[in-house]
Structures are given as C-alpha cells and as structure tokens.
C-alpha cells in the first residue's frame, strides 16, 4: 500500500509511529532471544557457542553487502569506530548475556539486563548528548523498574544468582554505550548492524576455534544448532539490532531506551514454551506493572498546559 493511499485512509506512518513499530519489533525478538539463550545454556550450549552462532551467522548473511556499502571505510563508519561498536555490541555482549544464565534463572536475566540498558541509556543521553528528559518520564521509569523488580521474584540475592545479576548488568551497560555511541556518531542503523556483524564474526570465529568445544556443540544436533543460529544470528544479531537502531534514530536514544524495558515481560512469556519456566504470581503482577509504566516512561502521556 502506497504512502498516499495509507494517508488517505488515515494510516500514514509518522516518524514516531514508525519508531514505535521498529522498537516493538526489536523488543519481541529480544524477548525470544533471552528465552532461547536460557534454554540453550540449560541444554548444554556454552557462551562461546552463542557468540559463534550469533556473529558467525550474521557475518555470513551480510558479507555480500559489504562491497556495496564500501569495504574501505566500512560504509562510511570507519574501521576504528566500527571496532568500537563491535566491542560494545559484539561477542563481549553475548558472552556476558549468556554466561549469566549459568548462575541465575531466566527471570533474572530478563530483568537486570534490559533494566540496566534503560537506566544507563537515559542517564548517558542526559550526560553525553545533553538530552532533556521530562520528570513524568522518570516517574514512568520508576514504575517500570518497580515492575521489573517484581518480575525478578524473591530470592534475587540467594545462592549465586547475584553473580549472574552482575554479569547481566555488565551486558546491559555495554548495550547502553553502543546506543549512545551510534547516536553520537550519527551512524546509520543498518550500516552499524553490518559493522557489528562483520567485525563480531571475525572476532568470534578464532575465539571459538581456540577455546570452543566442537564435539559438544555438534552433540546438540542440527535442529538445535539451526534454531539458535536463526534466533541468535539472523533475528537477534541482525534484524533486532537494525530495528532498535531505527527506533533510536526516529525517537531518540532516551525514548528508545524504554523498549528494552518491555523485554522482561516478553522474555518471561516466551520462556513458558521455550524454556519451560512458568512465571510466579508475583511475576505476573510485575508484568502488569511494567506495561502500566511504559506509556508514561516513553512520554506518550504529556502534562496538560
């Protein structure tokens, strides 16, 4: 349907609406990625396996596009800045994001990592990009974070779960820095995706060859390997990164930062069929709280003059 026809029917996609749709796409994919990551770790996959499957798959898919955007300067980004982006959103991010599941359950990873992304990105947007964030949006964030705390359930500090929580927080901080760097350098979302995929794949392959366990990975079976390659590489490694980059470009990083806050609810729901982990009653309450705070945190409700 053309833009003219859509406008005639009242279906014109404004920049804000397009940003919302891109952000929702990223959030849904990330929710599934976390559930599949938890299922993979409990099923015997190692963090290095996830790095290989994610960035190896993504690199293979985008390599044919590299000559078209310009290999010499990495599509105008530059190999230096591309390396920084890959350091933040590349193998280190996925290694931390999956390693934490060796100590903590799905609900913890689904809460701590996105919450860190949300808070850190909004704070960095104020400090680095000098963005002004209205007070009611911070109130919305507080409601969201309260809901996320409920989703995590009791026992956040029991056993070794706290180790996983710290690891998840580190992963979330890396992604927040990636978001701010992309915005600061005005990097096109798709070119940033290609840069992270290519450089991340070039880094993940030798790491896996040096320290990975080939027989253990093959023992998972091609169905598991193929599914994880699709979810981690094609969807999470490419489509979600591009979608979130587009959302940040259209809405601004501070507003786009709220989309990761949707991930806990989506991840916990996806974890029912994928990881076999049912939310507790208090977690259902937390999911409802998150959904209630999101519109306020995104600035969709404005104070009347």
């Amino acid at each position: 349907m053309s833009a003219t026809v859509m406008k005639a029917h009242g279906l014109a996609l404004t920049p804000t609406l397009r940003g919302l749709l891109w952000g929702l796409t990223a959030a849904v994919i990330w929710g599934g990625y976390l559930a599949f990551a938890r299922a993979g770790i409990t099923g015997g996959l190692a963090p290095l396996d996830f790095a290989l499957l994610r960035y190896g798959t993504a690199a293979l898919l985008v390599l044919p596009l590299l000559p078209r955007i310009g290999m010499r300067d990495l599509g105008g980004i530059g190999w230096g800045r591309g390396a920084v982006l890959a350091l933040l959103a590349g193998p280190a991010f996925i290694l931390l994001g999956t390693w934490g599941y060796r100590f903590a359950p799905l609900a913890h990873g689904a809460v701590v990592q996105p919450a860190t992304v949300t808070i850190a990105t909004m704070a960095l947007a104020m400090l680095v990009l000098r963005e002004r964030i209205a007070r009611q949006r911070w109130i919305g964030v507080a409601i969201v974070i309260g809901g996320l705390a409920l989703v995590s359930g009791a026992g956040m500090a029991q056993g070794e779960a706290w180790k996983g929580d710290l690891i998840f927080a580190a992963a979330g901080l890396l992604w927040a820095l990636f978001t701010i760097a992309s915005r600061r350098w005005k990097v096109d979302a798709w070119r940033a995706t290609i840069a992270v995929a290519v450089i991340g794949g070039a880094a993940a392959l030798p790491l896996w060859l040096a320290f990975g366990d080939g027989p253990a990975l093959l023992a998972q079976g091609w169905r598991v390997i193929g599914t994880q390659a699709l979810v981690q590489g094609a969807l999470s490694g490419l489509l979600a990164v591009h979608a979130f980059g587009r959302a940040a470009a259209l809405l601004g990083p501070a507003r786009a930062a709220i989309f990761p806050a949707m991930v806990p609810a989506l991840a916990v729901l996806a974890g029912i069929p994928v990881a076999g982990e049912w939310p507790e009653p208090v977690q259902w309450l937390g999911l409802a709280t998150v959904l209630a705070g999101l519109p306020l945190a995104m600035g969709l409700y404005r104070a009347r003059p």
Side-chain angles (χ1 to χ4, degrees), residues 42-185:
T42 57
L45 286 172
L48 271 176
D49 296 332
F50 281 99
L52 176 68
L53 293 173
R54 175 163 178 154
Y55 298 101
T57 301
L60 288 175
L61 291 173
V62 302
L63 271 177
L65 302 176
L66 191 55
R68 303 176 75 179
I69 68 170
M71 187 177 297
R72 185 174 182 178
D73 62 353
L74 199 58
I77 296 175
W79 286 94
R81 288 183 173 180
V84 173
L85 295 177
L87 178 64
L88 299 174
F93 168 73
I94 197 69
L95 286 172
L96 291 171
T98 54
W99 182 30
Y101 282 124
R102 291 195 166 181
F103 305 100
L106 173 61
H108 288 229
V111 168
V112 177
Q113 185 173 319
T116 302
V117 173
T118 300
I119 298 172
T121 303
M122 292 183 69
L124 288 170
M126 285 178 43
L127 296 174
V128 178
L129 303 180
R130 304 301 181 185
E131 286 196 12
R132 297 182 62 184
I133 299 176
R135 183 177 61 179
Q136 61 264 30
R137 291 184 60 196
W138 284 113
I139 295 174
V141 168
I143 295 173
V144 169
I145 298 305
L148 298 181
L150 291 174
V151 172
S152 68
M156 186 67 118
Q158 292 179 0
E160 293 186 316
W162 63 271
K163 296 181 180 179
D165 297 338
L166 291 178
I167 296 171
F168 293 137
L173 179 59
L174 285 181
W175 192 268
L177 290 169
F178 165 74
T179 304
I180 296 299
S182 298
R183 182 71 170 182
R184 180 70 178 267
W185 293 334

Side-chain angles (χ1 to χ4, degrees), residues 232-259:
Q232 308 297 334
L235 297 180
S236 185
L238 290 180
L239 181 56
V241 176
H242 174 65
F244 184 74
R246 292 294 298 144
L250 291 166
L251 301 173
R255 182 171 292 183
I258 203 64
F259 288 111

